[in-house]
Amino acid sequence: MTIKDWLKTAKKSIDALDAELILLNVKKYSDRSELLLRENSKLTETEEKAAKNLLSRRKNGEPLAYILGYREFYGRKFFIDRNVLIPRPETEVIVDFVTCECEKNPEDWQIFDIGTGSGCIGVSLFLELSKKNKVNVVCSDISNQALEVAEKNYTRLRSGSLANSLSHISFVKSDLTESLEMDLNKSTIIVANLPYVSREWNWLDKEALSYEPQIALFAKQNGLELIYKLISQIKEKIDTRSNLNARLILVLEMDKSQQNEIIEYGRQFGYDTEKISDYVLKIEFVKHQR
Protein backbone atom coordinates (compact mmCIF):
# COMPACT_ATOMS: atom_id res chain seq x y z
CA MET A 1 0.00 0.00 0.00
CA THR A 2 1.32 3.44 -0.90
CA ILE A 3 1.27 6.54 1.31
CA LYS A 4 -1.43 7.99 -0.95
CA ASP A 5 -3.60 4.88 -0.69
CA TRP A 6 -3.26 4.65 3.10
CA LEU A 7 -4.17 8.30 3.61
CA LYS A 8 -7.15 8.05 1.29
CA THR A 9 -8.53 5.13 3.29
CA ALA A 10 -7.71 6.60 6.73
CA LYS A 11 -9.32 9.96 5.95
CA LYS A 12 -12.66 8.23 5.48
CA SER A 13 -12.77 7.35 9.18
CA ILE A 14 -10.78 10.04 11.01
CA ASP A 15 -9.90 13.71 10.60
CA ALA A 16 -7.62 14.33 7.60
CA LEU A 17 -4.95 16.14 9.63
CA ASP A 18 -4.96 13.39 12.26
CA ALA A 19 -4.38 10.80 9.54
CA GLU A 20 -1.45 12.76 8.15
CA LEU A 21 0.12 13.24 11.58
CA ILE A 22 -0.20 9.53 12.34
CA LEU A 23 1.55 8.57 9.13
CA LEU A 24 4.15 11.30 9.65
CA ASN A 25 4.89 9.69 13.00
CA VAL A 26 5.15 6.21 11.51
CA LYS A 27 7.39 7.30 8.63
CA LYS A 28 9.54 9.49 10.91
CA TYR A 29 9.24 12.37 8.46
CA SER A 30 9.94 15.87 9.75
CA ASP A 31 7.29 17.66 7.71
CA ARG A 32 3.85 16.86 6.25
CA SER A 33 5.02 18.04 2.84
CA GLU A 34 7.12 14.88 2.63
CA LEU A 35 3.93 12.81 2.55
CA LEU A 36 2.91 14.59 -0.64
CA LEU A 37 6.35 14.46 -2.20
CA ARG A 38 6.59 10.70 -1.53
CA GLU A 39 2.92 9.79 -1.89
CA ASN A 40 3.68 6.92 -4.27
CA SER A 41 6.20 5.32 -1.91
CA LYS A 42 5.11 2.01 -0.46
CA LEU A 43 4.74 1.36 3.25
CA THR A 44 6.76 -1.53 4.61
CA GLU A 45 4.91 -4.35 6.32
CA THR A 46 6.11 -3.04 9.70
CA GLU A 47 5.01 0.54 8.88
CA GLU A 48 1.60 -0.61 7.66
CA LYS A 49 1.05 -2.61 10.84
CA ALA A 50 2.08 0.34 13.05
CA ALA A 51 -0.12 2.76 11.11
CA LYS A 52 -3.08 0.40 11.37
CA ASN A 53 -2.65 0.17 15.15
CA LEU A 54 -2.49 3.95 15.61
CA LEU A 55 -5.45 4.46 13.30
CA SER A 56 -7.50 1.98 15.32
CA ARG A 57 -6.69 3.81 18.55
CA ARG A 58 -7.77 7.12 17.06
CA LYS A 59 -10.99 5.65 15.66
CA ASN A 60 -11.79 4.38 19.17
CA GLY A 61 -11.61 7.93 20.51
CA GLU A 62 -8.14 8.07 22.08
CA PRO A 63 -6.79 11.64 21.83
CA LEU A 64 -4.19 12.10 19.11
CA ALA A 65 -1.74 13.64 21.58
CA TYR A 66 -1.52 10.41 23.59
CA ILE A 67 -1.20 8.36 20.42
CA LEU A 68 1.70 10.46 19.14
CA GLY A 69 3.19 11.00 22.59
CA TYR A 70 3.52 14.76 22.31
CA ARG A 71 1.63 18.04 22.06
CA GLU A 72 2.78 21.39 20.74
CA PHE A 73 2.69 24.14 23.38
CA TYR A 74 4.10 27.63 23.07
CA GLY A 75 6.15 26.67 20.03
CA ARG A 76 7.71 23.62 21.65
CA LYS A 77 6.97 19.92 21.45
CA PHE A 78 6.12 18.57 24.91
CA PHE A 79 6.26 14.84 25.60
CA ILE A 80 3.09 13.58 27.26
CA ASP A 81 1.66 10.30 28.44
CA ARG A 82 -1.51 9.36 30.28
CA ASN A 83 -0.06 10.48 33.61
CA VAL A 84 -0.56 14.13 32.60
CA LEU A 85 -3.21 16.30 31.00
CA ILE A 86 -2.97 17.24 27.35
CA PRO A 87 -1.80 20.89 27.16
CA ARG A 88 -4.49 23.19 25.74
CA PRO A 89 -4.06 26.33 23.61
CA GLU A 90 -5.99 28.49 26.10
CA THR A 91 -3.31 27.75 28.72
CA GLU A 92 -0.72 29.58 26.62
CA VAL A 93 -2.36 32.82 27.80
CA ILE A 94 -0.79 32.21 31.22
CA VAL A 95 2.70 32.09 29.69
CA ASP A 96 1.96 35.23 27.66
CA PHE A 97 0.76 37.15 30.70
CA VAL A 98 3.51 36.10 33.11
CA THR A 99 6.26 36.68 30.54
CA CYS A 100 4.93 40.16 29.86
CA GLU A 101 4.56 40.95 33.58
CA CYS A 102 8.12 39.88 34.36
CA GLU A 103 9.62 41.75 31.40
CA LYS A 104 7.73 44.95 32.31
CA ASN A 105 9.03 44.66 35.88
CA PRO A 106 12.54 43.18 35.62
CA GLU A 107 13.03 41.97 39.17
CA ASP A 108 14.43 38.72 40.54
CA TRP A 109 11.17 36.82 40.18
CA GLN A 110 10.41 33.49 41.80
CA ILE A 111 7.72 31.54 40.00
CA PHE A 112 5.81 28.53 41.32
CA ASP A 113 3.94 26.32 38.86
CA ILE A 114 1.47 24.46 41.08
CA GLY A 115 0.13 21.22 39.59
CA THR A 116 2.71 21.34 36.83
CA GLY A 117 1.66 18.12 35.03
CA SER A 118 3.71 17.95 31.84
CA GLY A 119 5.59 21.07 32.90
CA CYS A 120 4.26 22.98 29.89
CA ILE A 121 3.68 26.21 31.86
CA GLY A 122 6.67 26.19 34.22
CA VAL A 123 9.21 24.90 31.70
CA SER A 124 7.98 27.34 29.03
CA LEU A 125 8.25 30.24 31.48
CA PHE A 126 11.76 29.24 32.50
CA LEU A 127 12.94 28.91 28.90
CA GLU A 128 11.34 32.22 27.89
CA LEU A 129 12.32 34.34 30.88
CA SER A 130 15.81 33.03 31.58
CA LYS A 131 17.01 34.30 28.19
CA LYS A 132 17.12 37.85 29.60
CA ASN A 133 16.31 37.73 33.29
CA LYS A 134 17.34 36.03 36.48
CA VAL A 135 14.43 33.77 37.41
CA ASN A 136 13.80 30.91 39.81
CA VAL A 137 11.05 28.48 38.76
CA VAL A 138 9.67 25.71 40.97
CA CYS A 139 7.42 23.13 39.29
CA SER A 140 5.39 21.13 41.79
CA ASP A 141 2.85 18.34 41.61
CA ILE A 142 1.30 15.80 43.94
CA SER A 143 2.01 13.05 41.38
CA ASN A 144 5.48 11.50 41.12
CA GLN A 145 4.65 10.30 37.61
CA ALA A 146 3.71 13.80 36.49
CA LEU A 147 6.95 15.22 37.92
CA GLU A 148 8.91 12.62 35.97
CA VAL A 149 7.21 13.79 32.77
CA ALA A 150 7.88 17.45 33.58
CA GLU A 151 11.57 16.81 34.29
CA LYS A 152 11.86 14.77 31.11
CA ASN A 153 10.45 17.69 29.12
CA TYR A 154 12.86 20.16 30.69
CA THR A 155 15.82 17.87 30.00
CA ARG A 156 14.76 17.53 26.36
CA LEU A 157 13.92 21.18 25.76
CA ARG A 158 16.77 22.90 27.58
CA SER A 159 19.23 21.81 24.90
CA GLY A 160 20.25 24.88 22.96
CA SER A 161 18.39 27.24 25.32
CA LEU A 162 20.00 30.55 26.22
CA ALA A 163 19.27 30.35 29.96
CA ASN A 164 21.66 32.45 32.02
CA SER A 165 23.67 30.79 34.76
CA LEU A 166 21.87 32.69 37.54
CA SER A 167 18.48 31.17 36.68
CA HIS A 168 17.28 27.94 38.24
CA ILE A 169 14.45 25.43 37.85
CA SER A 170 13.50 22.64 40.22
CA PHE A 171 10.82 19.96 40.53
CA VAL A 172 9.19 19.30 43.90
CA LYS A 173 6.48 16.95 45.12
CA SER A 174 3.87 18.97 47.01
CA ASP A 175 0.17 19.09 47.76
CA LEU A 176 -0.42 22.62 46.47
CA THR A 177 1.94 24.85 48.53
CA GLU A 178 2.27 22.60 51.61
CA SER A 179 5.83 21.37 50.94
CA LEU A 180 7.10 24.50 49.19
CA GLU A 181 9.50 27.00 50.67
CA MET A 182 8.22 30.44 49.65
CA ASP A 183 10.19 33.57 50.51
CA LEU A 184 7.54 36.28 50.43
CA ASN A 185 10.24 38.95 50.64
CA LYS A 186 10.83 38.24 46.96
CA SER A 187 8.55 39.15 44.07
CA THR A 188 6.49 36.02 43.49
CA ILE A 189 4.16 34.72 40.81
CA ILE A 190 2.20 31.54 41.41
CA VAL A 191 0.63 29.93 38.35
CA ALA A 192 -1.86 27.10 38.67
CA ASN A 193 -3.86 25.03 36.24
CA LEU A 194 -5.47 22.87 38.90
CA PRO A 195 -8.27 20.31 38.56
CA TYR A 196 -11.37 22.49 38.11
CA VAL A 197 -13.87 20.31 36.27
CA SER A 198 -17.10 19.26 38.00
CA ARG A 199 -18.51 15.82 37.29
CA GLU A 200 -21.95 17.45 37.42
CA TRP A 201 -21.45 19.59 34.32
CA ASN A 202 -23.86 18.29 31.69
CA TRP A 203 -21.89 19.71 28.76
CA LEU A 204 -18.82 17.55 29.37
CA ASP A 205 -17.55 15.14 26.73
CA LYS A 206 -16.87 12.49 29.35
CA GLU A 207 -15.78 9.88 26.82
CA ALA A 208 -13.00 12.12 25.48
CA LEU A 209 -11.89 13.06 29.00
CA SER A 210 -11.83 9.43 30.11
CA TYR A 211 -8.32 9.02 28.66
CA GLU A 212 -6.84 11.80 30.81
CA PRO A 213 -5.81 11.40 34.49
CA GLN A 214 -8.94 11.94 36.54
CA ILE A 215 -6.98 13.30 39.50
CA ALA A 216 -5.82 16.17 37.28
CA LEU A 217 -9.32 16.96 35.99
CA PHE A 218 -12.00 16.77 38.62
CA ALA A 219 -12.62 18.65 41.87
CA LYS A 220 -15.54 19.03 44.26
CA GLN A 221 -17.54 22.19 45.04
CA ASN A 222 -18.47 22.74 41.39
CA GLY A 223 -14.81 22.20 40.52
CA LEU A 224 -13.57 24.93 42.85
CA GLU A 225 -12.35 22.96 45.86
CA LEU A 226 -8.62 23.04 45.07
CA ILE A 227 -8.65 26.61 43.75
CA TYR A 228 -10.22 27.80 47.01
CA LYS A 229 -7.78 25.66 48.99
CA LEU A 230 -4.81 27.21 47.17
CA ILE A 231 -6.05 30.76 47.78
CA SER A 232 -6.59 29.90 51.46
CA GLN A 233 -3.07 28.46 51.76
CA ILE A 234 -1.57 31.62 50.29
CA LYS A 235 -3.72 33.73 52.62
CA GLU A 236 -2.38 31.77 55.61
CA LYS A 237 1.20 32.39 54.51
CA ILE A 238 0.47 36.11 54.23
CA ASP A 239 -1.29 36.25 57.59
CA THR A 240 1.77 34.90 59.40
CA ARG A 241 3.68 38.01 58.31
CA SER A 242 3.42 41.49 59.77
CA ASN A 243 3.69 43.02 56.31
CA LEU A 244 3.95 42.09 52.66
CA ASN A 245 6.35 44.36 50.80
CA ALA A 246 7.07 42.33 47.67
CA ARG A 247 4.50 41.63 44.99
CA LEU A 248 2.58 38.36 45.18
CA ILE A 249 0.48 37.38 42.18
CA LEU A 250 -1.61 34.28 41.53
CA VAL A 251 -2.54 33.41 37.94
CA LEU A 252 -5.28 30.78 37.69
CA GLU A 253 -6.92 28.83 34.90
CA MET A 254 -10.55 27.83 35.29
CA ASP A 255 -13.74 27.40 33.31
CA LYS A 256 -15.31 30.71 32.33
CA SER A 257 -18.48 29.72 34.22
CA GLN A 258 -16.45 29.80 37.46
CA GLN A 259 -14.80 33.19 37.09
CA ASN A 260 -17.31 35.31 38.98
CA GLU A 261 -17.29 32.94 41.95
CA ILE A 262 -13.49 33.05 42.17
CA ILE A 263 -13.45 36.84 41.81
CA GLU A 264 -15.86 37.16 44.74
CA TYR A 265 -13.88 34.66 46.80
CA GLY A 266 -10.70 36.70 46.36
CA ARG A 267 -12.40 40.02 46.95
CA GLN A 268 -13.81 38.96 50.32
CA PHE A 269 -10.22 39.05 51.57
CA GLY A 270 -9.55 42.40 49.89
CA TYR A 271 -7.44 40.96 47.08
CA ASP A 272 -7.37 42.62 43.65
CA THR A 273 -8.68 40.44 40.83
CA GLU A 274 -8.37 40.92 37.09
CA LYS A 275 -9.76 38.93 34.18
CA ILE A 276 -6.98 38.07 31.73
CA SER A 277 -9.08 35.92 29.38
CA ASP A 278 -12.26 33.82 29.51
CA TYR A 279 -10.22 31.09 31.19
CA VAL A 280 -7.53 32.96 33.14
CA LEU A 281 -7.71 35.25 36.19
CA LYS A 282 -5.06 37.22 38.05
CA ILE A 283 -5.28 37.75 41.81
CA GLU A 284 -2.85 40.26 43.29
CA PHE A 285 -2.42 39.67 47.00
CA VAL A 286 -1.99 42.59 49.34
CA LYS A 287 -1.86 42.54 53.11
CA HIS A 288 -5.50 43.20 53.94
CA GLN A 289 -6.36 45.55 56.72
CA ARG A 290 -8.10 44.25 59.83
Side-chain angles (χ1 to χ4, degrees):
M1 178 179 285
T2 65
I3 287 174
K4 183 178 180 180
D5 292 336
W6 190 90
L7 286 173
K8 183 178 180 180
T9 301
K11 288 177 181 180
K12 292 177 181 178
S13 56
I14 65 171
D15 178 80
L17 178 58
D18 287 2
E20 292 178 11
L21 290 173
I22 284 174
L23 201 55
L24 197 68
N25 180 271
V26 169
K27 294 294 293 182
K28 309 300 182 188
Y29 291 161
S30 59
D31 190 270
R32 284 165 54 211
S33 62
E34 292 189 66
L35 295 175
L36 180 61
L37 291 172
R38 307 182 190 190
E39 64 179 6
N40 293 317
S41 298
K42 287 191 174 183
L43 298 176
T44 67
E45 185 177 339
T46 299
E47 289 172 341
E48 197 168 333
K49 183 177 180 180
K52 181 180 179 181
N53 176 53
L54 298 185
L55 175 62
S56 176
R57 288 168 62 185
R58 187 68 191 102
K59 285 168 66 175
N60 288 332
E62 184 175 351
L64 183 67
Y66 288 136
I67 294 171
L68 300 180
Y70 72 87
R71 183 62 173 259
E72 294 278 348
F73 183 86
Y74 219 76
R76 298 179 178 91
K77 190 177 285 188
F78 278 79
F79 162 77
I80 64 165
D81 61 22
R82 290 181 64 176
N83 291 301
V84 298
L85 290 181
I86 300 169
R88 266 73 168 180
E90 56 267 25
T91 305
E92 293 186 351
V93 173
I94 295 178
V95 181
D96 281 334
F97 173 78
V98 175
T99 300
C100 183
E101 187 69 34
C102 292
E103 290 179 347
K104 283 191 304 182
N105 303 280
E107 306 169 35
D108 291 346
W109 288 97
Q110 58 177 351
I111 297 173
F112 294 88
D113 177 17
I114 310 294
T116 192
S118 67
C120 63
I121 300 175
V123 172
S124 294
L125 284 171
F126 179 81
L127 295 176
E128 292 296 317
L129 290 170
S130 61
K131 296 174 187 176
K132 300 178 182 178
N133 306 290
K134 177 184 175 183
V135 63
N136 180 49
V137 177
V138 178
C139 298
S140 71
D141 206 288
I142 199 170
S143 163
N144 286 321
Q145 292 88 346
L147 286 171
E148 288 175 7
V149 172
E151 287 195 68
K152 180 176 181 178
N153 276 316
Y154 172 65
T155 301
R156 287 175 56 252
L157 294 169
R158 72 182 175 185
S159 177
S161 72
L162 302 175
N164 66 64
S165 59
L166 296 176
S167 294
H168 184 257
I169 186 169
S170 57
F171 301 85
V172 179
K173 183 174 183 179
S174 179
D175 182 357
L176 301 182
T177 67
E178 284 183 1
S179 302
L180 300 179
E181 295 183 9
M182 306 178 89
D183 183 356
L184 298 186
N185 289 314
K186 296 180 179 178
S187 296
T188 303
I189 296 179
I190 301 169
V191 298
N193 183 9
L194 299 174
Y196 61 76
V197 178
S198 170
R199 295 183 186 275
E200 307 306 315
W201 292 348
N202 57 17
W203 64 85
L204 285 180
D205 184 348
K206 293 183 180 179
E207 183 177 352
L209 292 177
S210 66
Y211 288 91
E212 301 194 60
Q214 306 297 284
I215 191 175
L217 280 172
F218 296 106
K220 298 176 182 178
Q221 291 181 249
N222 191 36
L224 294 169
E225 178 186 29
L226 294 177
I227 290 176
Y228 286 169
K229 183 178 178 181
L230 175 60
I231 295 172
S232 296
Q233 284 184 357
I234 297 170
K235 177 182 178 297
E236 288 173 9
K237 290 180 182 295
I238 294 171
D239 286 348
T240 61
R241 302 175 56 84
S242 59
N243 55 58
L244 184 65
N245 295 320
R247 294 184 70 191
L248 176 55
I249 298 170
L250 172 62
V251 185
L252 286 167
E253 181 170 330
M254 75 291 295
D255 188 78
K256 57 186 176 181
S257 67
Q258 300 167 314
Q259 283 196 334
N260 288 336
E261 292 177 76
I262 297 171
I263 288 171
E264 289 306 313
Y265 188 80
R267 284 179 177 168
Q268 70 176 302
F269 304 119
Y271 302 142
D272 294 331
T273 60
E274 178 184 346
K275 179 178 175 180
I276 305 303
S277 75
D278 283 344
Y279 297 93
V280 178
L281 282 177
K282 178 189 98 169
I283 298 177
E284 179 123 16
F285 291 83
V286 292
K287 182 71 176 180
H288 58 278
Q289 301 297 318
R290 286 187 170 86

